[in-house]
Amino acid sequence: MYENYENQLSLYVHWPYCETKCPYCDFNSHVNENIDINNWIKSFSNQLYTMRKEFIDKNIKFKNLNTIFFGGGTPSLMPLEIIEKIIDISYNIFSFDRDIEITLEANPSSYDGKKFYALKKLGINRLSIGVQSLNNRYLKFLGRLHSIKDVDIALNEATKIFDNISVDLIYAFDGQNLVDWTNELVSFLSKNNLQHLSLYQLTIEEGTKFFKDYNNGLIRKIDNNLAAEFYDITNKVISEFEYVKYEVSNHAKKGFECIHNLNYWNSENWIGIGPGAYGRLWSSENKNRIEYQNYKNPKTWLSKNLYQTEYEKVTELNNYEADADTLTMGLRLCDGIKISKLINKSIINFNSLKKLEEQKIVSLKNNILKVNKNHIIKLNSIVDFLTNQ
Ligand SMILES: C[S@@+](CC[C@H](N)C(=O)[O-])C[C@H]1O[C@@H](n2cnc3c(N)ncnc32)[C@H](O)[C@@H]1O
Ligand code: SF4
């Protein structure tokens, strides 16, 4: 089955701290505390060296590292010494692909021009900026610390330094006006020449402040039909600016797709270091997929990895679990997935597949299974129906 994979290897680095906790966010993010830089360097380094050793022990097949992604939390708050050390060690132990993509997530409220220069010097070559909303009223609603003016300044600085910039936006929430959103988007895209856009519809996640507000009747969920209208019009506007939609929520100018996320969606290999980060690797001996899960709490993770590496959990995914993951991740891609990647095709209910094909919701041609672009917004229910035994 290895011929179906590229044997790519990515590294995800999780930085768990933020200036404030946004009311919609259920990521592993905590308000910044005093940190001991040396201890963080030690724990990150230990994890990297251990992963390298385990690769050799488990005979995992991989090429050079082809991406690193500093995600969070707010990695633009990360001390530069830590970033530098992680990049250095990774280079020494895995060696880099010639065109390695190194992304860092930045918040418009937590950077300065000098830091952008320093990040570039350390090897960061792709910046993902959390703009989130295009008007001050909704930035406030989303609990963001920045204003539209801060966005303009951050993008202006960033474009002087980086030639690969992505922006995250959240849209389709109760009270948002479709026409206003469209106009804001058109004006934003006319003004800024960005290489990549990640556009997420607001989801009200359990455990967040928004979830409490929702249960107390303070905010409402948007109606499904309106959400679909928001999705369609957003995709239309973006395509007019020559972005190609390549995943449910992601759009790129030609050649600027996020290689790191493509490795996830294509179920390649990645390692994750830092609190709550996880990795998945194909083991070449038994053709199984191994999942490493780190301790989620930053203090626990830090202390467990200071002198030696300890994961919270290491699981060997069984064939069904590995296939379910390959299918769910792969079908997010507009180009679909090679069905030959599945270890056991019986995960697919072929009667359901036939029905979906007849309704032109999915297609299976020349080994490629894909969801029709117009139906990709219903991906979760399509995958459920397709795998329902
Ligand atoms: C790791 S998070 C944030 C990175 C960075 N700290 C920031 O806030 O810009 C990645 C992205 O997920 C999106 N996101 C997080 N929670 C969401 C939610 N409940 N609904 C929709 N999008 C969400 C946001 O667009 C965010 O930029
Ligand atoms: S959205 Fe970003 S800044 Fe806000 S809490 Fe989550 S990770 Fe932190």
Side-chain angles (χ1 to χ4, degrees):
M1 66 176 294
Y2 281 96
E3 61 280 10
N4 291 308
Y5 288 89
E6 305 278 333
N7 300 320
Q8 300 289 15
L9 177 67
S10 289
L11 166 65
Y12 174 75
V13 183
H14 192 77
W15 183 252
Y17 295 121
C18 297
E19 288 173 288
T20 177
K21 181 79 186 175
C22 305
Y24 55 85
C25 177
D26 80 333
F27 282 78
N28 187 21
S29 56
H30 309 263
V31 174
N32 208 350
E33 306 169 7
N34 285 336
I35 61 148
D36 179 327
I37 295 184
N38 286 332
N39 281 351
W40 278 82
I41 289 182
K42 264 200 219 161
S43 290
F44 276 127
S45 313
N46 272 336
Q47 288 223 307
L48 282 170
Y49 286 119
T50 308
M51 297 301 301
R52 173 68 195 160
K53 186 172 162 292
E54 285 179 354
F55 268 47
I56 294 165
D57 291 350
K58 295 210 164 73
N59 191 19
I60 285 161
K61 205 169 166 187
F62 70 96
K63 294 184 194 155
N64 299 333
L65 203 61
N66 81 330
T67 70
I68 304 178
F69 194 104
F70 291 88
T74 307
S76 47
L77 293 173
M78 231 173 145
L80 291 169
E81 300 96 300
I82 305 182
I83 299 177
E84 182 173 21
K85 198 72 187 171
I86 292 173
I87 295 180
D88 273 3
I89 298 178
S90 311
Y91 178 76
N92 288 332
I93 64 179
F94 294 114
S95 83
F96 287 177
D97 199 87
R98 203 163 49 91
D99 301 321
I100 187 166
E101 172 193 273
I102 310 185
T103 305
L104 181 131
E105 285 181 340
N107 280 25
S109 56
S110 66
Y111 82 95
D112 58 57
K114 273 198 213 128
K115 191 155 189 181
F116 278 172
Y117 270 113
L119 290 168
K120 177 82 186 271
K121 260 176 89 183
L122 293 183
I124 309 292
N125 53 22
R126 182 173 184 273
L127 212 59
S128 169
I129 304 185
V131 171
Q132 313 307 0
S133 181
L134 301 174
N135 80 51
N136 283 328
R137 192 169 127 229
Y138 292 139
L139 282 173
K140 206 159 168 212
F141 165 69
L142 293 172
R144 303 295 289 187
L145 295 178
H146 63 265
S147 64
I148 290 301
K149 193 160 174 244
D150 298 323
V151 169
D152 286 343
I153 299 171
L155 283 175
N156 188 30
E157 293 283 345
T159 39
K160 281 190 225 150
I161 301 164
F162 294 96
D163 48 24
N164 190 353
I165 298 175
S166 179
V167 156
D168 283 4
L169 292 173
I170 301 180
Y171 72 107
F173 34 86
D174 189 52
Q176 191 181 23
N177 179 296
L178 191 61
V179 177
D180 289 350
W181 159 248
T182 316
N183 291 338
E184 285 162 7
L185 194 58
V186 168
S187 122
F188 180 69
L189 296 178
S190 313
K191 215 164 64 179
N192 296 290
N193 178 24
L194 304 162
Q195 285 67 42
H196 190 278
L197 295 166
S198 299
L199 304 188
Y200 304 108
Q201 297 211 332
L202 177 70
T203 45
I204 297 187
E205 306 283 358
E206 234 178 292
T208 60
K209 174 165 184 305
F210 271 6
F211 190 72
K212 250 193 229 151
D213 291 350
Y214 171 70
N215 283 334
N216 292 332
L218 297 174
I219 54 173
R220 289 181 304 183
K221 282 188 187 167
I222 188 176
D223 163 85
N224 281 348
N225 292 331
L226 185 57
E229 250 185 89
F230 262 100
Y231 189 71
D232 290 344
I233 204 148
T234 302
N235 285 322
K236 190 167 170 287
V237 168
I238 290 172
S239 66
E240 281 161 11
F241 284 86
E242 291 173 9
Y243 290 93
V244 176
K245 174 162 119 178
Y246 67 104
E247 193 265 352
V248 183
S249 312
N250 284 280
H251 310 254
K253 292 267 170 75
K254 203 168 177 287
F256 287 96
E257 294 82 3
C258 175
I259 303 169
H260 185 85
N261 287 339
L262 281 173
N263 281 354
Y264 294 160
W265 295 318
N266 283 318
S267 293
E268 294 284 342
N269 300 296
W270 70 89
I271 52 181
I273 60 171
Y278 68 97
R280 285 197 186 145
L281 300 160
W282 288 104
S283 132
S284 23
E285 297 258 294
N286 49 16
K287 304 200 171 181
N288 272 356
R289 210 153 185 227
I290 304 161
E291 183 178 290
Y292 298 81
Q293 180 76 49
N294 278 313
Y295 287 97
K296 199 170 173 196
N297 179 286
K299 284 190 184 134
T300 314
W301 174 83
L302 192 66
S303 62
K304 296 276 186 193
N305 290 283
L306 258 182
Y307 302 103
Q308 61 180 66
T309 285
E310 202 183 310
Y311 305 105
E312 180 165 55
K313 221 163 78 187
V314 179
T315 333
E316 218 167 85
L317 302 185
N318 63 35
N319 287 356
Y320 185 88
E321 289 164 332
D323 279 344
D325 192 56
T326 306
L327 199 64
T328 323
M329 295 298 269
L331 288 180
R332 298 187 64 88
L333 292 170
C334 298
D335 285 345
I337 65 158
K338 278 189 200 164
I339 201 160
S340 53
K341 277 187 165 182
L342 299 173
I343 303 165
N344 189 342
K345 287 182 194 52
S346 66
I347 188 170
I348 293 179
N349 177 329
F350 281 87
N351 287 328
S352 303
L353 174 63
K354 202 164 156 244
K355 282 186 195 147
L356 290 172
E357 281 191 299
E358 280 163 7
Q359 294 169 53
K360 301 211 175 341
I361 294 175
V362 304
S363 69
L364 174 60
K365 262 187 228 133
N366 304 329
N367 184 31
I368 302 286
L369 177 65
K370 66 176 161 191
V371 176
N372 177 329
K373 268 191 187 178
N374 300 332
H375 293 277
I376 212 158
I377 193 175
K378 293 173 278 179
L379 181 65
N380 291 345
S381 39
I382 295 172
V383 173
D384 283 348
F385 185 66
L386 202 56
T387 55
N388 182 10
Q389 297 305 319

